[in-house]
Amino acid sequence: MAWISLILAGLCEAFGVVTINKLNNSRNWQSLLLLILGFGASFLFLAYAMKTLPMGTAYAIWTGIGSAGGALLGIMIFGESKDWRRIACIALILGATIGLKLVG
């Protein structure tokens, strides 16, 4: 259950990053509310996961999912560059995240 909670925390983190961009583009209370909900849920899921998982592993995987997810959502939603080097770097982040799961 801790790993599922950690994955949900990372996905909520990526959602929170998207809402930061949305809030920068259109300053309204709905965007602010989504930002607070996204990061709030992310921290709650992370805190639950850290009851079982080591802090270093949980934090590294949380940030990896959030970073890669934010970059992928930027490509899909905001039309950011799909340069192969960016995709390779995102793959490296995901590979390192999976590696931490395998050895942790």
Side-chain angles (χ1 to χ4, degrees):
M1 193 64 183
W3 285 104
I4 292 170
S5 180
L6 186 58
I7 291 169
L8 288 173
L11 295 175
C12 289
E13 176 80 4
F15 175 77
V17 170
V18 169
T19 60
I20 290 173
N21 196 32
K22 191 168 177 58
L23 184 63
N24 283 333
N25 292 337
S26 60
R27 296 207 175 261
N28 56 42
W29 67 270
Q30 292 96 344
S31 297
L32 179 63
L33 181 63
L34 288 174
L35 182 137
I36 292 169
L37 288 175
F39 281 112
S42 178
F43 286 124
L44 287 175
F45 283 124
L46 178 63
Y48 179 77
M50 287 175 63
K51 286 183 178 181
T52 306
L53 301 173
M55 180 197 74
T57 301
Y59 182 73
I61 291 174
W62 175 67
T63 56
I65 293 171
S67 301
L72 289 172
L73 289 173
I75 291 170
M76 291 187 293
I77 296 172
F78 299 109
E80 294 177 359
S81 170
K82 297 176 187 172
D83 186 89
W84 70 268
R85 292 170 289 197
R86 289 190 78 208
I87 304 297
C89 290
I90 293 168
L92 285 173
I93 292 170
L94 291 175
T97 301
I98 292 168
L100 278 173
K101 162 69 174 106
L102 294 176
V103 300

